[in-house]
Amino acid sequence: MQDFLQNATENNSTDCTINHSIHQTLSPTIYIFVFVVGLPANCLSLYYGYLQIRAKNELGIYLCNLTIADLFYIFSLPFWLQYVLQHDNWTYDADLCKICGILLYENIYISVGFLCCISIDRYLAVVHPFRFYQFRTIKAAVVVSIIIWGKEILMSWFFFKKVEISKDAESHTICFEHYPIKNWEHNINYYRFFAGFLFPFFLLLFSYCGILRVVCKSHGTQKKTKIQIKRLVSSTVVIFLVCFGPYHILLVIRSLFEKNCMFAGKIFNIYHFSLLLTSFNCVADPVLYCFSSESTYQNFVKMRDSSLTCLRCLKTKTKVSYQLKTPETLRKSSSVPVDEEPELLNKLHTVNEMKDFSTH
């Protein structure tokens, strides 16, 4: 009897007529925005994480992993863009649909995992600067990163084997979704809500509340710095709630009440709007954790100056190579000051030894 009901539910999913208007209006705009802005921003963020790793800062490991997860999702956006523009009709291979779906959904939890790692790392650095040092090393960060990726790869393999391609009433191939949701998805959605969102949120909140308590009691911290720290902490919590909160709440609502096509049709637009909100995390991460730091701004200014200096050097060398090597020109070329060497090359090895909050 149970098998019959399950088969009936699966068959009904092919008869659901869903209004996909949100996918022809809002989704393409957001996908294009996230791709155009997120791709260069995350590439620069990856470079910043590399600088942190060279400075023996474990934060760089978490930033690089967070950025790589965002880039994986960004690279799948062109496929999703074509999918929504074709009225939710997947025209590529079924396995590619599963891969893109995994990159979309699992990026959420990989990002959440590394956001928690960053918050805990900052908490330990500010609240317990001389304790738990063994957890704030490059080696520890690598081990934690392997655990996070390993856990999500196992979950991805489960979805890859479980998810099947379905068709709607218009014979369109639906990618990575079912209307209404299947029975096995209910427990997965509860797990996503409690373990993938609620627990990490409380962990994030605990870490940043501890940081704020220490900062507010610190008499040596300047008022301007305190304000910057408070803004960064509040922005992180708000963006976490805005990007991931609505989606996970609607996951639970769907698991509790979505039993037929009527409810699936009513909740479709708001559910997919919440899913679009998770995409903004790929843009918010570089802004919050990289570009908000004053030292990051200085590093990119140095990189720009060094690039301009290198271009001037190349032009000078090209011009000199076509000139006659007279004693006068040799004397002029030999008098080029050593100070014109790119400043970034001299200072990449001396990133701030003092790990202030902005880089933690």
Side-chain angles (χ1 to χ4, degrees):
M1 182 66 179
Q2 184 176 0
D3 293 338
F4 172 79
L5 291 175
Q6 183 174 358
N7 292 332
T9 302
E10 293 178 0
N11 290 333
N12 287 338
S13 65
T14 62
D15 298 330
C16 286
T17 302
I18 304 293
N19 180 9
H20 301 144
S21 59
I22 189 175
H23 280 177
Q24 280 75 56
T25 54
L26 187 61
S27 296
T29 304
I30 292 180
Y31 285 155
I32 293 173
F33 171 79
V34 172
F35 185 86
V36 172
V37 177
L39 183 58
N42 279 278
C43 288
L44 290 175
S45 176
L46 194 63
Y47 173 74
Y48 175 69
Y50 165 73
L51 290 182
Q52 294 295 312
I53 294 175
R54 288 195 59 176
K56 305 301 181 182
N57 187 349
E58 76 284 351
L59 182 65
I61 299 293
Y62 299 133
L63 286 176
C64 283
N65 281 279
L66 178 64
T67 304
I68 290 171
D70 288 341
L71 286 173
F72 278 155
Y73 169 66
I74 289 173
F75 290 146
S76 72
L77 286 180
F79 298 100
W80 289 116
L81 180 62
Q82 183 176 0
Y83 172 69
V84 297
L85 289 177
Q86 292 179 336
H87 299 271
D88 288 16
N89 186 26
W90 187 263
T91 58
Y92 297 103
D93 184 73
D95 288 342
L96 183 59
C97 162
K98 294 180 181 181
I99 292 172
C100 289
I102 288 169
L103 292 177
L104 190 157
Y105 288 96
E106 293 305 317
N107 168 68
I108 297 173
Y109 303 103
I110 293 175
S111 297
V112 167
F114 285 110
L115 290 177
C116 286
C117 290
I118 292 172
S119 66
I120 294 172
D121 182 82
R122 286 173 166 176
Y123 172 80
L124 295 177
V126 175
V127 182
H128 305 288
F130 302 110
R131 296 176 60 188
F132 308 109
Y133 183 77
Q134 65 275 19
F135 297 109
R136 296 182 54 244
T137 61
I138 295 290
K139 183 178 180 180
V142 170
V143 172
V144 172
S145 300
I146 292 174
I147 293 173
I148 292 176
W149 280 102
K151 168 182 168 294
E152 295 306 325
I153 288 173
L154 288 176
M155 288 294 296
S156 300
W157 180 251
F158 170 80
F159 279 107
F160 192 86
K161 301 296 290 185
K162 195 77 174 176
V163 174
E164 297 178 355
I165 303 298
S166 60
K167 290 185 178 294
D168 62 6
E170 299 176 351
S171 298
H172 288 175
T173 302
I174 304 299
C175 179
F176 219 77
E177 289 187 307
H178 308 94
Y179 314 119
I181 59 175
K182 293 186 177 181
N183 292 332
W184 63 267
E185 293 181 275
H186 290 234
N187 293 331
I188 295 295
N189 290 343
Y190 296 140
Y191 169 79
R192 283 176 169 179
F193 177 77
F194 289 104
F197 169 73
L198 199 60
F199 175 73
F201 171 69
F202 283 119
L203 197 61
L204 193 88
L205 202 61
F206 169 80
S207 300
Y208 285 137
C209 286
I211 291 171
L212 288 178
R213 282 197 301 268
V214 172
V215 170
C216 291
K217 293 179 181 179
S218 175
H219 299 289
T221 305
Q222 296 180 355
K223 184 178 180 180
K224 181 181 178 181
T225 303
K226 289 183 178 181
I227 294 175
Q228 290 176 343
I229 292 173
K230 290 178 181 179
R231 287 178 179 175
L232 179 62
V233 169
S234 59
S235 299
T236 304
V237 174
V238 169
I239 289 177
F240 187 91
L241 284 175
V242 171
C243 289
F244 301 125
Y247 169 70
H248 286 90
I249 292 173
L250 287 169
L251 272 183
V252 174
I253 292 175
R254 289 189 68 190
S255 297
L256 290 174
F257 302 108
E258 188 173 305
K259 308 297 182 182
N260 51 52
C261 292
M262 182 180 296
F263 187 87
K266 289 180 179 179
I267 204 173
F268 181 88
N269 283 338
I270 188 173
Y271 170 74
H272 279 266
F273 177 75
S274 70
L275 188 59
L276 289 174
L277 288 178
T278 64
S279 302
F280 287 106
N281 179 65
C282 298
V283 178
D285 288 341
V287 174
L288 279 180
Y289 295 100
C290 299
F291 304 144
S292 61
S293 169
E294 180 66 23
S295 60
T296 308
Y297 173 77
Q298 293 174 358
N299 280 332
F300 285 128
V301 169
K302 293 173 185 177
M303 182 174 64
R304 180 201 64 186
D305 294 341
S306 66
S307 299
L308 293 176
T309 305
C310 288
L311 288 175
R312 287 196 296 267
C313 290
L314 288 174
K315 290 181 180 179
T316 303
K317 289 180 181 179
T318 304
K319 183 177 180 180
V320 170
S321 64
Y322 287 100
Q323 290 178 346
L324 181 63
K325 297 291 184 177
T326 62
E328 183 179 357
T329 57
L330 287 173
R331 283 196 301 271
K332 289 182 180 179
S333 61
S334 62
S335 63
V336 176
V338 182
D339 294 338
E340 289 189 6
E341 281 292 312
E343 187 180 1
L344 181 63
L345 296 179
N346 296 326
K347 294 191 177 182
L348 280 181
H349 303 285
T350 57
V351 178
N352 297 329
E353 295 180 1
M354 187 68 180
K355 297 180 180 178
D356 58 4
F357 179 82
S358 64
T359 57
H360 280 274

